[in-house]
Amino acid sequence: MRSFHDIFDIAAEHHGGVDALETKLGERPYGPPLSADPSSLPDDRWLAAFTRFIFCSGFSWKVIDQKWPGFEDAFWAFNVNRCAMMSDDDLTDLTSDTRIVRNGQKIVSVRDNAIFLKSLADSHGTAATHLALWPKDDFIGLIRLLRTSGSRLGGTTAQYALRHIGVDGYILTEDVSRALIREGVVEKMPTGKAAQDKAQAAFNAWRAESGRSLTEISRTLALSVG
């Protein structure tokens, strides 16, 4: 695999030079991170972010953004304790609530993720403390925790949510995966454990070499494919 410096040069060539690339690396398509210190972000905001990206998955972002104030109202401002205690009657009411997108499975995921976050808070003081301070050299471990212990947080859903929250990490998008394949890190989309571990090792090496954040490395890889 090439050095990060070489990959950065490829991306810069594709996007109008170093200065233009640095500008692109700072862009956030889904708005600025919720917090510069996500470990201090209230757990209700973590639940809200997970919910937003779960509902956006396979659906119109614009519609979710327009309805978001209704989501905040319908889900009690994403109070983790209240959402964790949603009754069957609450769930039935929400499936007919026009303030939100009425997808039954995604509505249930709010309760399930609230229970998950509450269990982390019971063990660690807050869920945010545990999740935000996860070691960067094992970011894939955090992705796996959210996929296996959370609800509907597989694929890139949790990865996008974490970036939106402000957690430094990579997103294994199609473009990032293509770059990893090009660099000989993996042979195909890194969906399996062995390939994901290889991707994590590559990110660790590029981070040690460049001093860049995982987010910047991830964005550079994506931009290096075109």
Side-chain angles (χ1 to χ4, degrees):
M1 85 186 179
R2 277 174 281 206
S3 69
F4 179 78
H5 176 77
D6 289 342
I7 296 170
F8 185 91
D9 285 346
I10 295 170
E13 185 176 352
H14 283 320
H15 295 277
V18 171
D19 291 344
L21 177 59
E22 292 287 5
T23 297
K24 285 183 176 292
L25 292 180
E27 293 174 351
R28 295 292 181 269
Y30 308 109
L34 295 181
S35 176
D37 179 14
S39 67
S40 66
L41 199 67
D43 288 349
D44 62 270
R45 293 303 90 198
W46 285 75
L47 180 59
F50 289 156
T51 301
R52 179 187 285 267
F53 282 83
I54 287 168
F55 273 85
C56 284
S57 179
F59 200 73
S60 169
W61 286 85
K62 185 177 180 180
V63 171
I64 300 301
D65 285 344
Q66 290 174 339
K67 282 184 166 287
W68 194 249
F71 275 81
E72 291 281 352
D73 289 341
F75 289 107
W76 308 281
F78 293 99
N79 180 286
V80 171
N81 289 330
R82 178 62 183 87
C83 288
M85 295 175 62
M86 274 194 276
S87 65
D88 289 342
D89 286 342
D90 288 329
L91 294 172
T92 298
D93 290 343
L94 286 164
T95 58
S96 61
D97 193 327
T98 59
R99 293 175 294 177
I100 64 173
V101 172
R102 291 163 287 173
N103 180 305
Q105 292 181 329
K106 292 184 177 183
I107 290 170
V108 171
S109 78
V110 180
R111 181 179 66 182
D112 293 344
N113 284 324
I115 292 170
F116 166 55
L117 291 173
K118 187 176 183 301
S119 70
L120 291 180
D122 290 343
S123 299
H124 302 281
T126 67
T129 300
H130 184 61
L131 298 176
L133 300 181
W134 195 276
K136 288 182 172 56
D137 61 1
D138 183 39
F139 184 69
I140 193 63
L142 176 56
I143 293 171
R144 288 170 180 156
L145 172 69
L146 295 175
R147 184 187 72 237
T148 58
S149 298
S151 175
R152 303 186 73 89
L153 292 174
T156 57
T157 300
Q159 297 166 47
Y160 276 110
L162 290 170
R163 183 169 293 179
H164 176 65
I165 289 166
V167 175
D168 180 36
Y170 50 79
I171 302 178
L172 295 173
T173 63
E174 183 176 342
D175 282 347
V176 170
S177 297
R178 286 171 61 192
L180 291 170
I181 294 168
R182 182 196 66 209
E183 296 305 315
V185 175
V186 296
E187 296 180 355
K188 58 183 181 179
M189 289 283 289
T191 55
K193 184 178 186 301
Q196 290 174 349
D197 288 343
K198 290 178 181 178
Q200 179 71 65
F203 274 99
N204 291 345
W206 286 321
R207 180 168 170 259
E209 171 204 340
S210 67
R212 295 269 185 170
S213 67
L214 293 175
T215 299
E216 290 174 315
I217 295 168
S218 179
R219 295 273 291 148
T220 301
L221 287 172
L223 292 168
S224 74
V225 301

